[in-house]
Structure formats: structure tokens, C-alpha cells
Amino acid sequence: MSTFVRGNKDLIKAINRNLILNTVRRHGALSRTQLTEISRLSVGAVSQITQELIKDAWLLEVGEGDYTGGRRQTLLRLNPDAGCAIGLKLMEHRIVCALTDLEAKVLRYQDLPMPVDHDPMVIVTALTEAVETTVNASGVDRRKLLGVGVGVAGVTYPQTGIVHYSPYLGWHDLPLAELMRVRLHLPVYIENDVNTLTLSEQLFGAGRHIENFVVVTIGRGIGMGMVINHQLYQGAKGGMGELGHITFDAAGPMCSCGKHGCLEAFAADPAVIAYVRHSRSAEDAPRTLEDVISLAQAGDALAKAALRRSGEILGIGLSTIVNLLCPSLIIVSGEGVVAGEFRIAPMMDALRAHTFNGLLDDVQVIVEATDDHAWARGSASLVMGKLFESPLIEAGIAV
Amino acid sequence: MSTFVRGNKDLIKAINRNLILNTVRRHGALSRTQLTEISRLSVGAVSQITQELIKDAWLLEVGEGDYTGGRRQTLLRLNPDAGCAIGLKLMEHRIVCALTDLEAKVLRYQDLPMPVDHDPMVIVTALTEAVETTVNASGVDRRKLLGVGVGVAGVTYPQTGIVHYSPYLGWHDLPLAELMRVRLHLPVYIENDVNTLTLSEQLFGAGRHIENFVVVTIGRGIGMGMVINHQLYQGAKGGMGELGHITFDAAGPMCSCGKHGCLEAFAADPAVIAYVRHSRSAEDAPRTLEDVISLAQAGDALAKAALRRSGEILGIGLSTIVNLLCPSLIIVSGEGVVAGEFRIAPMMDALRAHTFNGLLDDVQVIVEATDDHAWARGSASLVMGKLFESPLIEAGIAV
DNA sequence: TTAGCTTATTTCATTGAGTGAAAAAAGATT
DNA sequence: AATCTTTTTTCACTCAATGAAATAAGCTAA
């Protein structure tokens, strides 16, 4: 059930305060005069709002602008010390934890083994300890910590903070955010891991200013996150973005999900490895994607073919996204975007070959690998996302 | 480049006026007290805004509510005579024109042959004449006509009113809206035809109140429209929704679009007809989808197989939508949703079989045939869409 | 018929956010 | 030190929402 936007003075104030904050954040450093021009607010409003934001320590006066004939402009920028955030990424065998500033710059990074006991309480304890030790080691005043973001593979309900299903950890409907919140006494936000990456691209990456874009992750699985009309898209009940499980060939082999012929079963990293392994003796069979790439680089035809085939099928998957959504930007990332010439080039060729008419002309494609830092920064972005979110979203934009 | 929302008194006023108007529109008839509860505005604000809307003839006082112990509530409803709209649908061989009231009820309907000469000026003349004759025949005061909506197959740029590409008419970058506007002296809105249908579902159909839904049309081609976060989605430069041209089988035959193995080439109406024709003598070969259905109903195995195969492939296409977007509603419509048991039932089975895990549990699927009236009402909805659109959208929601 | 009761709707003083002109501040040049 | 230009703040004004109080409207029961 959607609430509708109702207008009153408080909403105006919240909108304009948010407008100023985000304008400064995006431009780096601006004077009040520049803010007046960009925001189209009156000089009086800008003066008052900046005054309040400086008082509340969100903005800092930093130096002066160039001389243009009269009084110099006082430049304002976001106070990076206004607060910090923790980003946690739950991997299969590890917990990755980063403390970042408001621009998602990593101040402190830590990497812990995931407890073998997947009992929620054991892991919650490990997570809260990871937060505390990271903050302590950083030397940052704990009171500056504004919140904790957690990225989890699987299906999450961000509004309620519940992990609906986690394939690695075997959880079902675990109220992870609440369990952590009562221990940490901090806001805790949960999201699907690909969505955290998408959010960080929107706030700090290539997705800034972009109305519609898609992030595709390639690795053990194939995931997808979307920003549509400047908003992170959450499908019905948090389900969506199962790019890895669209049907590529209905007659194909069974996927780990139980369906037949999923894209993932043909094109994700395990499929590439399996393709090579099955045609080799046990000794020199590759065990990881890196092994396959090494083989390919050494000229191994089978490894090359495996990577090329994976790329081609990934390209068809991307073409489906373009044909259906035609976003203005696609960011291809994840641990699997490493074998450029062997895997990514065929992917791009297939994307072009399978996209309707001139649809691709308006789509920019960026390929960028992802490391652990990126995932942790993504999780931390959940906190900044809330912080800088338009009050219209909180009010529930309904048209 | 996105503009940002800036708050001021005018915006508040516009938001709340729109809020009241839409609340009344959606509920049919409401008292001021009920409006206060639903909109969460103060009694004073509701009183003033309704007064203005009544003065401007947007709202009507109609009768009284039930007795609940004190003064009876005065019920308000949208004034259906506040204005009317024209919807034009450009078909391959016909022009369909409907005059509707604000609730998209058809007041007058007309059906003209499309000129064989596809010269833009010839067709623009035919279109403007269709508008004038329909309005005249209806007896409605022309001053009540608020605008004209035009639905076109192909790629359109609604913001500029340009038809970028029309496959049936062979147009390229024709400023159709402007050409019609100067002749009619009325606002003219252009949209892709599937999007008009999607908009009318959002305003008047099963998509009311639904945050995210998709409309799929099956017929000569296979199209798709989306409402995401309560907004009609327009991909980069108006391109999107090419469900018919996602790759179903890369090794498949060439599609009319020049690519290989498009969904449309396997599952749209022409593919069904071709499937049966190729295995029959010229005499008793079916020429239309209706012919195929008749054969199937008579027990013809080949016709049944053709329809079933089409349905299965359509179902895989729908599963792709669910896997990627997981909208809370999918409306399957178009002229092709006629052969229920033979085509639609297999479609639903395939949809279930190819959807990830429990993703479909949260998705409602509605199948409803579309006739010429529906297309014309869709086009007219463009006018009402503008009329009832949130001022936040006009302001350009950017977050 | 009318007083009394309840609920609906309007009125009105108040609040506060943006607006924009005018004042003040700040720095450079002469 | 006076002057010029530009930046920033101040301040009187406007107008929309708010919410309490006043008014309106209808039903019931004496």
C-alpha cells in the first residue's frame, strides 16, 4: 500500500535541505552563490539552510574561490568527519568489514573467517564483534558511527531488515537487522549484495546522475541490480534481478536452482571450469577460473573455447536486458570480469549481435572488476543511501 | 540531465491539489471528512482545496452519505464533464479514433481507413479530420476537449512529440505532435502504442494502485510496457520493451528485424500461422490466427501443436520478465490472447516451469484480450495521464 | 414543534519556509 | 583610505498548511 506525498512546510524544508546537501556532495565544493544557481533556490533560502547545515556539522567552510572582482566566495563542502559507516559483506567463507567515511572511502578494513557453525546467533556475534574491533582499531570516535550496512547474497527484505533466504548460510526469514541493532545500538540496514554494489555505483560511481542503469555481476553466480528513475528498484517482496536464472535453453541441463537451462548454468564461473574439467584428466584439470585463464593464456584451445562460450552467452543475457529495459548505462562487474580478451570481448560481440536495431546506440557499457573492498564499500553505501535519500522517497512517492 | 525537486509554496499547493484530485478519482466518491483521513491533510486544507476544485469545475458535489449520528457528509466526485479527450491509434490499415470522458469512457467512436499514401502530410490531414468529425458528431462542446493522444507502433520520443520510427508507416523522426498541434490548437501527446495501453491500465485498469507492473501484448508482434515505482518507464531515448526481440534461440531463423532467433519469430501470430501453413497444401492452409484456432478446435493436431509451442515460448518470455523484474502484476493482452486452452494454458505452465524459486508467488498474472476500443482508450489516457500526473514528475524527480 | 445531540464543514489566527530587495561584509585595486 | 565589485546576510512580505473554535446541518426524542 503506497502512501501519497502530502505537502507542508516540513516537507519543503526537508526537500531543500536534502537538495543542498546532495548538490554539495556531488559537486565536491561549492559556494553559496553557486548553490543558489544550481539549486534554483533563493539566496535567502540557501543562506539559511547552509547556516543550519554548518551548525549541524554536515557542511564545512573550506577556503575561498578565485578572485572575480569582488568579495571571494566561501567554498562549502561535505564534512567528511560528519560521520562514518560500517559495511559488512557476508561471503561464503569470510566476513568482510570496512569502516568508511561519508564518501565511502575505506578508513579501516578487516577480513574474518566465517564461522563454520552457521547458527544465526554465532554469526551475529561474529558480525557485531567485527564491527566493534574495526571501529576500535580505527581510532574513530564511535559516536560518529551512523550505521551499519550488511550485504548478503540471496533474497532480503530491506524494509523489515529480514534475510528471507541466504543460499550460503542456509538462513530463512532471519531478522538479522534487528538482532544486530539491539546489540550495537545503531541503525542496521540489510540488502542483497548486488543491490549494495548498485547503490554504491549510484552514490559514488559511474551511476551518478544516471536516471536508469543496471549493474550485472559475474562470478560464481550471475546477478543484477537496477536503478530506475533514480531509485534502486526492489521487485515484489524483494525478489528480482535473477539474471542468472533466466532460461537460456529450455532443453539444457539442470541448474542448481532446480530449473533447466538457466543462463548461469552455461555462463557463470563454475560452468566455465566444468567445461574444461570434463575433457581432461584429473591431474591437470583446472580448479578455479584463474586456472582456466592461465591455460587460455598458455594457448589452450579448450580453455579459450570455454571462456569464449561463456562470454557469448553472457552477451546474450546482456542483450536481453537492453532489449527489455534499454538503460542508459550497464556496469558489468563482479569477480568474473577478468579474462578480458577471452571472455569479455566475445561478450561484447554477442551483445551487439543480439540487440534490437539501434537500441544499443544509447547504451553505455562499462566493464569493471570487483574486489572485496568494493563489496564492503557497497554495504556501507546503504548507510549513506539512507542519509542522502530524498525525503520524497521516505514519504513514498506515489503518482 | 535531471532537474532536482525544489520545494516552495507553489509545489506544496500543486502536490496537495493533485493529491485530492487523484484521491477522489480513485475512490469514486468521497466526503471532505474522508478526504481528510485518506490524504492526511488538515481539515482546513481539504476545505480550501476542494472549494477551489469545485469552483474550477473539477469536482462536483453529488448527494450525501449515510446518516452516522450528525450532519451528513457531502459526497464529492470527479466531474466527468470537466473535459474530454481524443485517442487516436494508428494501425497498419486503419485509423481508430475515440472521444472519451475523463474516466476514459468512450463517448464516440470512429474507424477510418489509413490512407494508402503514407506521406506524413496526407496522414496528418486524415488524423486532424478524424478528430474534428468525431468531436462534431459527438455533440460535445469542442472547448471541453483537453487534448489528443496518439498511439503509434514503433519508437517515439514523447517529450518532443516525435515519431522516431514507425515500421508500418515508414516514418523517421516525424514531429507528429507539433504538426497536429498547430492544426488543432490543442495539446497533442505521442506514445508507443503498448505504452498507451500500459498507461490506461495504470489509470483505469488492473494497474491502479500497483507500484510495479508490466503489460505484455501478443499479436503480430510481441510488445511490453512497464510501470515502475508508479511511473511509466521510458528507457534511454524511448527505446525499451522489445520483448519480441529478445533472443530465444541464437541458432534460430532470421527475424524480420534482421537478428537471429528472436522470441517473436517463434511465438507471435505470424509464426503460428507459418508453422501450420508449411505443412499443408495451399488450399486448406490457414491464413489468419482465427483459421488456426478453428483448425485446433476441430481437433487438428498440427494447429494445436503450433498454438501450444507458441504458448510455451511466450511463457519462457514471461518467465524472463519475472526473473529479472518480478513485478507484482503482469497483464497479458493484445489481439493474440484468444486461444485460451490451446495457447494460454501452455504459456502459464511454461511460465511456472521457468521462473526462479518462489518468485512467481508474489506475481499476479491477468490475461485479457484487447480490442480496438482498448487501444483508442489507451491513446486517450495520454491526456488524462498528463492531467492527473504528479507535479513531482513534471518537476523531475531526482534523488 | 423544538431542544438537544452528533457530526461535517468552514473560518480564522498562527506558524514558518521561501522570496527577493536592501543592507552589510569582504576583499582587491587605485 | 576611498572606491568598486561580488558575496553573503538580513528582513519585511507572502502564502499554504495547521488545528482549534465557530458554524452548519441533519436526526432523535420529548
Side-chain angles (χ1 to χ4, degrees):
Chain A
M1 181 59 201
S2 67
T3 46
F4 288 76
V5 177
R6 168 180 47 120
N8 58 21
K9 280 196 286 278
D10 293 343
L11 183 67
I12 294 188
K13 185 76 181 181
I15 287 173
N16 290 339
R17 195 181 148 107
N18 179 265
L19 171 56
I20 294 294
L21 207 52
N22 274 302
T23 307
V24 172
R25 192 174 68 76
R26 290 195 177 163
H27 286 79
L30 288 175
S31 69
R32 291 167 179 80
T33 305
Q34 288 173 304
L35 274 171
T36 309
E37 285 159 12
I38 297 171
S39 70
R40 317 253 304 128
L41 288 167
S42 66
V43 286
V46 169
S47 180
Q48 175 166 338
I49 292 169
T50 53
Q51 204 168 51
E52 287 173 18
L53 288 172
I54 290 170
K55 188 169 70 66
D56 297 350
W58 288 108
L59 293 184
L60 279 185
E61 294 192 335
V62 285
E64 298 187 324
D66 294 336
Y67 178 63
T68 57
R71 177 173 171 178
R72 283 169 181 268
Q73 305 182 334
T74 311
L75 296 179
L76 302 170
R77 60 160 292 155
L78 202 64
N79 180 3
D81 294 329
C84 56
I86 285 274
L88 287 165
K89 168 78 196 281
L90 278 54
M91 309 233 174
E92 194 175 5
H93 302 300
R94 286 179 304 140
I95 295 169
V96 172
C97 181
L99 179 78
T100 78
D101 67 9
L102 290 184
E103 281 155 345
K105 198 179 80 185
V106 175
L107 304 175
R108 186 84 198 182
Y109 178 83
Q110 201 183 358
D111 193 312
L112 299 166
M114 174 68 75
V116 272
D117 182 355
H118 284 180
D119 178 78
M121 291 312 138
V122 174
I123 295 181
V124 166
T125 303
L127 292 173
T128 52
E129 275 174 13
V131 172
E132 299 294 358
T133 56
T134 305
V135 175
N136 288 340
S138 73
V140 168
D141 185 349
R142 195 188 189 284
R143 284 169 299 184
K144 285 204 173 147
L145 188 54
L146 298 169
V148 176
V150 187
V152 194
V155 179
T156 60
Y157 299 157
Q159 262 121 20
T160 51
I162 288 173
V163 177
H164 175 57
Y165 170 63
S166 158
Y168 294 163
L169 302 169
W171 291 342
H172 287 275
D173 290 311
L174 179 74
L176 181 59
E178 181 61 14
L179 291 171
M180 292 181 66
R181 193 187 63 72
V182 295
R183 280 168 181 74
L184 291 166
H185 303 288
L186 282 170
V188 177
Y189 310 104
I190 310 281
E191 248 304 355
N192 166 274
D193 53 355
V194 183
N195 279 352
T196 67
L197 211 58
T198 308
L199 187 64
S200 70
E201 290 289 353
Q202 183 194 25
L203 291 169
F204 310 109
R208 267 183 292 194
H209 303 273
I210 309 279
E211 193 168 352
N212 305 303
F213 71 93
V214 169
V215 173
V216 172
T217 58
I218 303 169
R220 226 183 88 164
I222 298 171
M224 174 183 173
M226 288 169 264
V227 165
I228 296 195
N229 292 327
H230 295 281
Q231 273 188 267
L232 186 67
Y233 175 69
Q234 317 262 12
K237 302 226 181 123
M240 56 113 232
E242 295 294 348
L243 178 62
H245 298 282
I246 68 172
T247 299
F248 169 71
D249 177 3
M254 193 191 262
C255 172
S256 59
C257 75
K259 303 198 302 125
H260 281 270
C262 293
L263 190 76
E264 195 164 298
F266 286 92
D269 294 356
V272 176
I273 300 165
Y275 188 102
V276 182
R277 281 176 72 85
H278 288 164
S279 312
R280 287 187 173 268
S281 64
E283 273 103 82
D284 64 345
R287 300 201 149 269
T288 67
L289 189 69
E290 283 66 42
D291 294 345
V292 177
I293 295 168
S294 299
L295 284 171
Q297 280 165 342
D300 184 282
L302 191 66
K304 282 195 206 168
L307 288 165
R308 186 174 58 245
R309 181 170 155 76
S310 156
E312 283 166 1
I313 296 174
L314 287 169
I316 294 178
L318 293 184
S319 79
T320 299
I321 294 174
V322 177
N323 288 325
L324 294 185
L325 293 172
C326 195
S328 35
L329 169 67
I330 296 183
I331 300 170
V332 183
S333 72
E335 283 77 7
V337 295
V338 278
E341 62 199 302
F342 302 115
R343 193 185 204 185
I344 303 304
M347 180 187 83
M348 295 301 291
D349 290 340
L351 168 58
R352 273 185 286 273
H354 290 94
T355 302
F356 184 67
N357 249 337
L359 227 51
L360 202 59
D361 300 347
D362 303 315
V363 182
Q364 186 192 358
V365 181
I366 294 178
V367 178
E368 57 179 30
T370 315
D371 57 12
D372 292 350
H373 269 63
W375 288 111
R377 291 177 69 230
S379 298
S381 302
L382 291 174
V383 179
M384 276 75 86
K386 280 286 166 193
L387 207 59
F388 298 121
E389 185 175 82
S390 164
L392 291 170
I393 290 185
E394 202 176 1
I397 301 173
V399 184
Chain B
M1 181 59 202
S2 66
T3 45
F4 287 76
V5 177
R6 169 180 45 123
N8 59 20
K9 280 196 288 279
D10 294 343
L11 182 68
I12 296 291
K13 184 80 181 181
I15 287 173
N16 289 340
R17 195 182 149 108
N18 180 266
L19 171 56
I20 294 295
L21 207 52
N22 275 301
T23 307
V24 172
R25 191 172 70 75
R26 290 195 177 164
H27 285 80
L30 286 176
S31 69
R32 291 167 179 81
T33 306
Q34 288 173 303
L35 275 170
T36 308
E37 285 159 11
I38 297 171
S39 70
R40 319 255 303 130
L41 287 167
S42 66
V43 286
V46 169
S47 180
Q48 174 167 339
I49 292 169
T50 53
Q51 202 168 52
E52 288 174 19
L53 288 172
I54 289 170
K55 187 168 71 64
D56 296 349
W58 288 107
L59 293 184
L60 280 184
E61 294 192 335
V62 285
E64 298 187 326
D66 294 336
Y67 177 63
T68 57
R71 176 173 173 179
R72 282 169 181 267
Q73 305 181 333
T74 310
L75 296 179
L76 302 170
R77 60 161 291 154
L78 203 65
N79 180 4
D81 295 328
C84 55
I86 285 275
L88 287 165
K89 167 77 196 279
L90 277 54
M91 308 234 176
E92 193 175 8
H93 302 300
R94 286 179 305 140
I95 295 168
V96 171
C97 181
L99 180 78
T100 78
D101 68 10
L102 289 184
E103 281 155 345
K105 197 179 79 183
V106 175
L107 303 174
R108 185 85 199 180
Y109 179 82
Q110 201 184 358
D111 194 313
L112 299 165
M114 174 68 77
V116 271
D117 183 354
H118 284 180
D119 178 77
M121 293 311 139
V122 174
I123 294 181
V124 166
T125 304
L127 291 173
T128 52
E129 276 174 12
V131 172
E132 298 294 359
T133 55
T134 305
V135 174
N136 289 340
S138 73
V140 169
D141 185 349
R142 195 189 189 285
R143 283 169 299 184
K144 286 206 173 145
L145 189 54
L146 298 170
V148 175
V150 187
V152 195
V155 179
T156 60
Y157 300 157
Q159 261 122 21
T160 51
I162 288 173
V163 178
H164 175 56
Y165 171 62
S166 159
Y168 294 163
L169 301 169
W171 291 342
H172 286 275
D173 291 308
L174 178 74
L176 182 59
E178 181 61 15
L179 291 171
M180 292 180 66
R181 192 187 63 73
V182 295
R183 281 170 180 72
L184 291 166
H185 303 289
L186 282 170
V188 178
Y189 309 104
I190 310 280
E191 248 303 354
N192 167 273
D193 53 355
V194 184
N195 278 353
T196 67
L197 210 58
T198 307
L199 188 64
S200 70
E201 290 290 352
Q202 184 194 26
L203 291 169
F204 310 109
R208 267 182 291 195
H209 303 273
I210 309 279
E211 193 169 350
N212 304 302
F213 72 92
V214 169
V215 173
V216 172
T217 59
I218 304 169
R220 227 182 87 163
I222 297 172
M224 175 182 173
M226 288 168 266
V227 165
I228 297 196
N229 291 327
H230 295 280
Q231 272 188 268
L232 186 68
Y233 176 69
Q234 317 262 12
K237 301 226 182 123
M240 56 113 231
E242 297 293 350
L243 179 62
H245 297 282
I246 66 172
T247 299
F248 169 71
D249 177 3
M254 193 190 261
C255 172
S256 60
C257 75
K259 302 198 304 124
H260 281 270
C262 292
L263 190 76
E264 195 164 296
F266 287 91
D269 294 355
V272 176
I273 300 165
Y275 187 102
V276 182
R277 281 176 73 83
H278 288 165
S279 313
R280 286 187 174 267
S281 64
E283 273 101 81
D284 64 345
R287 300 200 147 271
T288 65
L289 189 67
E290 283 66 41
D291 294 345
V292 178
I293 295 167
S294 301
L295 284 171
Q297 281 165 342
D300 184 282
L302 192 65
K304 282 197 208 170
L307 288 165
R308 186 174 58 246
R309 182 171 155 75
S310 156
E312 283 166 0
I313 296 173
L314 287 170
I316 293 178
L318 293 184
S319 78
T320 298
I321 295 173
V322 176
N323 288 325
L324 293 185
L325 293 172
C326 196
S328 36
L329 169 68
I330 296 183
I331 301 170
V332 183
S333 71
E335 283 77 7
V337 294
V338 278
E341 61 199 305
F342 302 115
R343 194 184 204 184
I344 303 304
M347 180 186 83
M348 296 301 292
D349 290 342
L351 169 57
R352 274 185 286 272
H354 291 93
T355 303
F356 185 67
N357 249 337
L359 227 50
L360 202 59
D361 300 347
D362 302 317
V363 182
Q364 186 192 359
V365 181
I366 294 178
V367 178
E368 57 180 30
T370 314
D371 57 11
D372 291 351
H373 269 64
W375 287 110
R377 292 177 69 231
S379 299
S381 303
L382 291 173
V383 179
M384 276 75 86
K386 280 286 167 195
L387 208 58
F388 298 121
E389 185 175 82
S390 164
L392 291 171
I393 290 186
E394 202 176 1
I397 302 173
V399 185

